[in-house]
């Protein structure tokens, strides 16, 4: 059977789906990964069939609309900025949906990220099974607030349900009008858009997979049986990467350093200032550091201190176990990688689900209290690094890492998908 996997975003967004795709390929499935063109060579290096979408995520990240979204440091700012941004990006999404439709035509099943709900409707139109796969919880529960509101107050079960209702409505509204326009002009059949696909998927009885550990968010008892929390979907080896000698020599030259990097979060106007802040924080806390630039650039590069290594990129699964602690933006994949490595974590959330992961890390006692990007200073970062390197937090992080490494999220998810598809057979009509 051929399975199409649909996601879009940065490398960090793509990596869990590459891991899932590799698990399914090893189980005998023919996998096609459908995502933005930026990471085509990276995806193909794993031997996966890749269908590139003609959208440049890095260019989009430079745009004013996305920059405004990235600075939305509370749920309501996030909602307003995304609704405004979605209007501007709508036409781009309509074009992308046409490409996704073409890429799925020979699929016998479709796996989709909840941010790409077009996957649910394409599967239904083609008469094939759909499977929703998400690195963060997106199903309503009274046990805790939605991922968007998780870092806020605790006001009881009714409030929790209300936050999930708001999240579901807003998340769906970002794609709804684009899907309706694409469907009306290109497919011309009737579809049900009054309810969010995240809800329709659960009601369908087909699998919903969450790629995080129950040690991070416990599975609510009221969830339907077709909702599964599998553990994280992690890539452990990148075939085309070997560590540069300079990095290996730096790691061997002293005590374990602190990793600091914000992945694909772009800080177009202020990263040079942020970089200086990071250097100062390392000096105050008396720590060596590995600083990952990600998609950011430094306008004027001065000679670096001997206790700092500037990194282009390295697999987190290789790098993080060699760190003393990790400081990052709080993306779901990066958070999982740091915790899997058993390292104290400091999250500098920018927007979206990042504040939630920051608060969860702090609640679990495996890292320092998160520092919102807008409130970051060298002194605050230095204090957070010192806090994270407290022996109690180090021990807690090590213990959690041991538990997380016992899990195999890819294997668990693969078994669930295989059992479902084997039971239901090739349902393509």
């Amino acid at each position: 059977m051929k399975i199409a996997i649909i996601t879009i975003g940065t490398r960090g967004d793509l990596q869990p789906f590459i891991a899932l795709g590799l698990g399914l390929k090893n189980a005998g499935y023919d996998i096609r990964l459908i995502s933005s063109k930026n990471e085509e060579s990276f995806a193909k290096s794993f031997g996966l069939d890749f269908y590139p979408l003609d959208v440049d995520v890095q260019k989009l990240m430079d745009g004013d609309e996305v920059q405004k979204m990235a600075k939305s440091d509370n749920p309501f700012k996030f909602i307003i900025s995304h609704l405004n941004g979605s209007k501007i990006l709508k036409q781009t999404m309509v074009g992308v949906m046409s490409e996704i439709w073409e890429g799925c035509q020979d699929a016998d099943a479709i796996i989709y990220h909840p941010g790409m709900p077009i996957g649910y409707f394409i599967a239904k139109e083609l008469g094939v099974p759909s499977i929703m796969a998400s690195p963060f919880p997106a199903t309503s529960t009274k046990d805790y607030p939605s991922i968007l509101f998780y870092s806020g107050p605790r006001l009881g079960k009714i409030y929790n349900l209300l936050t999930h209702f708001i999240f579901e409505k807003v998340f769906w509204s970002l794609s709804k009008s684009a899907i309706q326009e694409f469907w009306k002009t290109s497919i011309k059949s009737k579809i049900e858009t009054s309810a969010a696909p995240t809800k329709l998927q659960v009601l369908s009885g087909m699998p919903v997979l969450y790629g995080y550990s129950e040690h991070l968010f416990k599975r609510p008892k009221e969830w339907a049986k077709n909702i599964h929390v599998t553990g994280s979907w992690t890539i452990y080896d990148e075939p085309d990467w070997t560590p540069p000698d300079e990095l290996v020599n730096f790691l061997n030259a002293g005590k374990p350093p602190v990793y600091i990097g914000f992945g694909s979060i772009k800080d177009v106007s202020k990263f040079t200032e942020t970089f200086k802040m990071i250097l100062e924080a390392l000096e105050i806390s008396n720590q060596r550091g590995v600083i990952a630039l990600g998609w950011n650039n430094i306008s004027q590069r001065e000679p670096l201190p001997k206790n700092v290594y500037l990194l282009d990129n390295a697999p987190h699964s290789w790098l993080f176990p060699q760190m003393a602690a990790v400081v990052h933006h709080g993306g779901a994949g990066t958070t999982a990688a740091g915790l899997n490595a058993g390292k104290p974590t400091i999250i500098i959330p920018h927007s979206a689900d990042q504040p939630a992961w920051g608060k969860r890390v702090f609640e679990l006692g495996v890292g320092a209290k998160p520092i919102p990007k807008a409130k970051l200073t060298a002194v605050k970062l230095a204090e957070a690094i010192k806090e994270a390197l407290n022996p109690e937090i180090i021990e807690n992080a090590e213990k959690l890492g041991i538990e997380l490494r016992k899990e195999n999220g890819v294997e668990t998810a693969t078994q669930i998908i295989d059992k479902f598809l084997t039971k239901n057979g090739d349902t393509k009509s």
Side-chain angles (χ1 to χ4, degrees):
M1 294 179 69
K2 174 169 280 188
I3 300 177
I5 302 178
I6 308 167
T7 186
I8 196 168
T10 64
R11 179 173 293 196
D13 299 312
L14 183 61
Q15 284 185 165
F17 291 87
I18 290 176
L20 185 57
L22 289 172
L24 289 164
K25 183 180 179 181
N26 291 337
Y29 290 91
D30 185 7
I31 302 301
R32 171 176 292 161
L33 192 60
I34 301 174
S35 191
S36 47
K37 62 185 179 182
N38 301 72
E39 303 298 342
E40 180 173 5
S41 60
F42 178 66
K44 285 184 174 179
S45 71
F46 293 92
L48 292 174
D49 178 27
F50 189 82
Y51 191 97
L53 303 175
D54 189 22
V55 56
D56 188 331
V57 172
Q58 190 165 357
K59 187 176 180 180
L60 286 176
M61 293 285 282
D62 286 338
D64 291 339
E65 298 81 20
V66 177
Q67 284 294 303
K68 288 177 183 176
M69 294 177 192
K71 295 174 183 176
S72 306
D73 54 3
N74 71 58
F76 298 104
K77 283 184 183 178
F78 180 85
I79 289 168
I80 292 169
S81 66
H82 273 64
L83 290 176
N84 290 337
S86 68
K87 296 174 185 176
I88 297 168
L89 298 173
K90 178 180 175 180
Q91 292 308 313
T92 299
M93 291 307 299
V94 171
V96 167
M97 288 173 189
S98 179
E99 295 173 355
I100 295 171
W101 169 262
E102 292 299 325
C104 290
Q105 287 306 297
D106 58 350
D108 299 303
I110 293 174
I111 298 173
Y112 67 94
H113 185 289
M116 298 299 289
I118 186 68
Y120 172 83
F121 296 105
I122 292 175
K124 193 170 182 64
E125 182 70 16
L126 296 179
V128 302
S130 64
I131 297 163
M132 191 180 86
S134 173
F136 55 82
T139 301
S140 177
T141 175
K142 62 181 182 294
D143 290 0
Y144 49 78
S146 77
I147 198 79
L148 193 59
F149 289 83
Y150 189 85
S151 62
R154 295 294 181 268
L155 300 175
K157 295 179 179 180
I158 294 176
Y159 170 79
N160 291 345
L161 290 171
L162 178 61
T163 66
H164 286 282
F165 175 80
I166 294 171
F167 175 77
E168 181 183 275
K169 291 293 183 183
V170 171
F171 205 57
W172 175 216
S173 70
L174 300 179
S175 304
K176 182 177 178 179
S177 62
I179 290 175
Q180 287 174 327
E181 181 173 324
F182 165 71
W183 217 262
K184 181 179 179 181
T185 57
S186 300
I187 312 303
K188 300 177 181 178
S189 63
K190 292 183 179 180
I191 56 170
E192 172 59 58
T193 59
S194 61
T198 49
K199 179 175 288 186
L200 295 174
Q201 182 72 36
V202 173
L203 293 174
S204 74
M206 293 183 286
V208 172
L209 305 180
Y210 287 126
Y212 56 83
S213 171
E214 282 207 60
H215 289 287
L216 304 184
F217 284 102
K218 191 169 180 62
R219 184 188 184 281
K221 292 181 179 179
E222 81 262 31
W223 277 4
K225 291 181 179 180
N226 59 319
I227 304 173
H228 308 272
V229 178
T230 67
S232 64
W233 308 323
T234 303
I235 296 172
Y236 288 102
D237 296 299
E238 293 188 15
D240 290 350
W241 189 86
T242 53
D245 292 340
E246 295 85 355
L247 174 57
V248 174
N249 292 338
F250 177 81
L251 295 176
N252 292 334
K255 65 181 182 180
V258 174
Y259 168 89
I260 304 176
F262 302 126
S264 301
I265 297 291
K266 294 215 70 171
D267 194 357
V268 174
S269 60
K270 293 187 176 181
F271 187 73
T272 299
E273 179 184 325
T274 302
F275 184 74
K276 291 178 180 178
M277 196 185 297
I278 291 169
L279 293 180
E280 186 179 347
L282 288 170
E283 183 179 358
I284 294 171
S285 59
N286 192 29
Q287 295 296 320
R288 297 187 343 126
V290 172
I291 303 175
L293 289 177
W295 282 359
N296 290 291
N297 293 307
I298 304 169
S299 56
Q300 293 181 337
R301 292 195 182 185
E302 299 176 1
L304 289 173
K306 291 183 179 180
N307 68 328
V308 172
Y309 182 89
L310 201 59
L311 179 70
D312 287 326
N313 68 81
H316 292 162
S317 58
W318 180 89
L319 184 67
F320 283 3
Q322 303 179 74
M323 299 294 104
V326 294
V327 181
H328 56 79
H329 58 297
T334 311
T335 301
L339 297 180
N340 284 350
K343 300 301 174 179
T345 296
I346 305 157
I347 289 180
I348 315 297
H350 291 57
S351 65
D353 60 330
Q354 296 160 16
W357 295 113
K359 181 162 186 173
R360 195 71 192 110
V361 162
F362 182 62
E363 287 175 336
L364 291 168
V366 295
K369 188 175 182 179
I371 308 169
K373 176 60 173 66
K375 297 180 179 180
L376 183 67
T377 66
V379 171
K380 286 182 178 179
L381 179 55
E383 290 174 349
I385 290 171
K386 291 176 182 178
E387 180 185 349
L389 294 176
N390 178 293
E392 183 179 354
I393 289 180
I394 291 174
E395 183 180 0
N396 290 343
E398 288 176 347
K399 288 180 178 178
L400 179 60
I402 290 170
E403 293 304 311
L404 294 179
R405 290 192 296 273
K406 290 178 183 178
E407 301 175 340
N408 189 329
V410 168
E411 182 178 343
T412 300
T414 298
Q415 289 174 351
I416 292 166
I417 293 168
D418 185 55
K419 182 178 179 180
F420 171 75
L421 293 180
T422 301
K423 181 179 177 181
N424 289 274
D426 187 347
T427 60
K428 191 167 184 177
S429 58

